[in-house]
Amino acid sequence: MRNTAFSFAQQAAAMALAIILVPYMLAMLGPERYGLWLILQLFNLLGLASLAELGFQGAIVRYLARYHANGDRAAFRAMLASGFKLFAAIGAVMAAATIALAQTEFARLFPISAENAEEMRRALTVVGAGLLAGFPALMVKAYFAARQELAVAKIWELADRLVFALGTFVLLQLTTDLVALVLFEQVVALVLALAFACVAWREGTGWFAVRAPLPRAEDLRGVVAMSGSVFGANAVSQGFNRLPELFVGAILGPVTLTAYQLATRIPRVIKTLQGSLNAAVLPHIARLDAGGAGDEREARGASDEARRAFALQGLRANYLVAMPLLVASALLAPVLLELWVGAAYRPLAGYLVAFTGFQALFLASNYCSATLTRHSHFRLFVRANCAIGAAFVVALSIGLERWGLGFVFAALLVSGTAMFACVLLVFRLAHGADPGVLFRTALAGPVVLSGALGVVLLAPGAWWLAKGVWLPGFAAYALGGAVYLGAIVRLVLTDVERGWLAALIIQRWKRAR
């Protein structure tokens, strides 16, 4: 629970930095050059380049965690050292491929104007060079993750975003050159990777190693076998996060890519925070899935029932937290865009609302993947979502140029609906929860009732605010929000949830005193 809270706080701080930085960069660079910056971001480790790790990082982390739990230091060092060698090779290949792309077809694949073409080629070359160190750095993060040192990993991520944000505020006062901006980003990443590698090395416990004998052959085969499913899950997640940006940037251009980014950024904050809530789900599900001692059949039945209850309550908790935020952001869409990036971007409000709907559907899919410990269930889930992702890519290839940006959001909503249907199927197969039970437990109150209450109670204030009637609008929205929260507590939460919430408030109040 402590790790989850720390992760939640780090994610919230990182996203707050991003929300603050975006309007500043947009003002300094302009819509076209900011769109070019977004195109460059597609090729770094926060973008599509991360898929080149082929699921090996997640598979290696699971084996490292097992070795650490068993106290098998030799196996841990061997697997970690092999991971460094593998990721150094992947980094070299990806660096060479990215630099080659920069020098050949890059300016023709994207609608980049002639005056920006040379600058973009040089900037992408810098991004490619950064992959040489970026991929091995994933193994340093794997080391901390396997040892459950989440605080160190999250401090690293937060430091990266904080230093980059502060440096960008200064750098853009001096130059708007994209090469300088990318170079600064890569230098920050390299310095932090070296610093935290030194932290791991100097811990003095003997677990960290970059040179060691090869792991056992059966362990290597296990990593390879596991990496396929992990890669499939990563590909689906990145597909719906990054592929729309790739298609929009390549077909509609950097200015439209900027519009897409602005319309989707605020709902993504909610999804990022939800990811922190899911961080503690898989270990707990795995423990429940292991069953217990005593009579095997009775233990297995108790384990299945506990796993089903936990999975349903987890989905319910996700929607209890996310739904009010999603409803509020959808109703305030034009106001949020105007206050954030200016009145010129108010027309993007409809897209923001559509993407909020997609996130409400995608939330269930993200959570579902965190509850699957059995390979057969996970494989079914990944294959179904890969099929949905493939259909999404085909749709964008056919319809994006003809129907424009609105087609992306329509395709996302259709894909999200299909993924939600997949969740219903997998919940039934993996957890024995039929759609009726899932609806009554996790959806009826947190989604249907909470969503309806939010629309009724928040819409009047949101409408006034959208019209620029600020004081009455704010008063009505604040009053509606207070009534909304009270209605959730009284009508949506169960007695157990109300008791837990009251205990948490009392605990925090006593601690504050």
Side-chain angles (χ1 to χ4, degrees):
M1 192 67 185
R2 181 180 178 183
N3 278 345
T4 302
F6 194 95
S7 177
F8 189 90
Q10 181 274 332
Q11 295 280 16
M15 293 309 299
L17 284 173
I19 291 292
I20 294 170
L21 188 60
V22 166
Y24 177 75
M25 293 185 69
L26 184 61
M28 298 301 293
L29 295 174
E32 182 180 10
R33 289 181 63 76
Y34 183 71
L36 295 175
W37 161 257
L38 294 175
I39 290 173
L40 292 169
Q41 294 297 294
L42 292 172
F43 293 91
N44 65 22
L45 276 173
L46 294 176
L48 293 171
S50 64
L51 293 177
E53 56 94 15
L54 301 176
F56 281 109
Q57 185 192 21
I60 289 173
V61 166
R62 296 188 184 203
Y63 271 80
L64 291 177
R66 182 188 305 170
Y67 298 146
H68 189 261
N70 294 334
D72 192 343
R73 187 174 304 182
F76 187 101
R77 288 168 57 86
M79 184 64 73
L80 185 66
S82 296
F84 273 114
K85 295 182 181 70
L86 172 64
F87 278 77
I90 293 174
V93 172
M94 286 300 298
T98 304
I99 292 171
L101 175 66
Q103 302 304 319
T104 54
E105 301 298 320
F106 179 53
R108 288 188 286 272
L109 289 175
F110 293 87
I112 300 171
S113 62
E115 61 182 310
N116 293 316
E118 180 58 30
E119 181 185 13
M120 288 291 284
R121 276 192 287 266
R122 289 187 285 116
L124 186 60
T125 300
V126 174
V127 172
L131 296 177
L132 285 169
F135 276 97
L138 294 178
M139 278 296 96
V140 183
K141 294 182 179 181
Y143 168 84
F144 290 118
R147 288 166 55 85
Q148 293 293 300
E149 296 180 15
L150 184 62
V152 179
K154 292 304 178 182
I155 289 172
W156 181 354
E157 293 176 14
L158 182 59
D160 181 62
R161 293 298 90 195
L162 180 60
V163 174
F164 174 72
L166 294 176
T168 299
F169 276 107
V170 176
L171 184 61
L172 288 181
Q173 292 293 327
L174 305 175
T175 178
T176 58
D177 183 64
L178 294 176
V179 179
L181 198 58
V182 168
L183 181 61
F184 175 70
E185 181 185 41
Q186 297 302 319
V187 168
V188 170
L190 176 61
V191 170
L192 287 174
L194 292 174
F196 280 89
C198 289
V199 169
W201 183 269
R202 291 174 63 84
E203 282 183 335
T205 57
W207 291 88
F208 188 82
V210 294
R211 296 179 62 187
L214 287 174
R216 295 184 290 265
E218 61 269 23
D219 289 351
L220 289 176
R221 287 194 293 269
V223 167
V224 172
M226 186 182 295
S227 66
S229 295
V230 176
F231 173 73
N234 292 344
V236 170
S237 178
Q238 284 284 36
F240 287 101
N241 283 325
R242 290 297 191 175
L243 278 181
E245 296 180 2
L246 178 65
F247 275 88
V248 171
I251 295 175
L252 303 181
V255 175
T256 308
L257 178 56
T258 295
Y260 177 82
Q261 239 287 321
L262 297 177
T264 59
R265 171 69 78 169
I266 293 174
R268 286 187 197 207
V269 173
I270 300 170
K271 175 183 174 294
T272 302
L273 298 179
Q274 180 237 357
S276 300
L277 295 175
N278 290 344
V281 170
L282 185 59
H284 190 76
I285 286 283
R287 286 195 296 271
L288 294 174
D289 198 46
D295 182 80
E296 185 175 346
R297 182 180 300 175
E298 182 179 344
R300 175 58 60 191
S303 173
D304 289 344
E305 180 60 35
R307 187 180 69 249
R308 176 166 53 252
F310 181 81
L312 289 170
Q313 289 301 320
L315 182 60
R316 175 182 173 85
N318 268 271
Y319 274 119
L320 280 172
V321 173
M323 202 62 195
L325 298 174
L326 291 169
V327 170
S329 63
L331 291 173
L332 287 176
V335 179
L336 291 174
L337 287 168
E338 181 175 353
L339 293 176
W340 182 38
V341 288
Y345 294 97
R346 280 178 65 107
L348 299 177
Y351 297 143
L352 193 155
V353 172
F355 195 75
T356 299
F358 167 72
Q359 291 288 44
L361 297 165
F362 196 35
L363 180 153
S365 182
N366 276 342
Y367 173 77
C368 182
S369 68
T371 69
L372 302 178
T373 58
R374 298 177 185 175
H375 185 66
S376 58
H377 297 149
F378 190 66
R379 183 173 56 194
L380 171 65
F381 177 80
V382 169
R383 287 179 175 177
N385 279 276
C386 283
I388 296 168
F392 177 70
V393 169
V394 171
L396 291 185
S397 302
I398 296 172
L400 180 57
E401 187 172 12
R402 180 176 180 181
W403 287 297
L405 191 57
F407 182 80
V408 179
F409 293 96
L412 283 170
L413 285 171
V414 172
S415 299
T417 302
M419 285 188 288
F420 190 82
C422 177
V423 168
L424 298 180
L425 173 63
V426 172
F427 251 82
R428 181 175 187 136
L429 295 176
H431 305 304
D434 61 61
V437 172
L438 189 147
F439 177 81
R440 290 191 299 272
T441 304
L443 302 180
V447 177
V448 179
L449 182 56
S450 178
L453 287 171
V455 171
V456 171
L457 294 171
L458 299 180
W463 184 81
W464 270 333
L465 289 172
K467 294 294 183 181
V469 186
W470 295 107
L471 188 58
F474 179 78
Y477 197 83
L479 178 60
V483 175
Y484 182 31
L485 291 177
I488 289 176
V489 172
R490 183 69 182 88
L491 301 176
V492 178
L493 298 186
T494 64
D495 290 339
V496 173
E497 290 165 345
R498 282 193 291 269
W500 179 86
L501 181 61
L504 180 64
I505 293 173
I506 292 171
Q507 181 186 32
R508 296 298 182 187
W509 182 73
K510 288 181 177 179
R511 185 175 298 178
R513 293 182 63 190

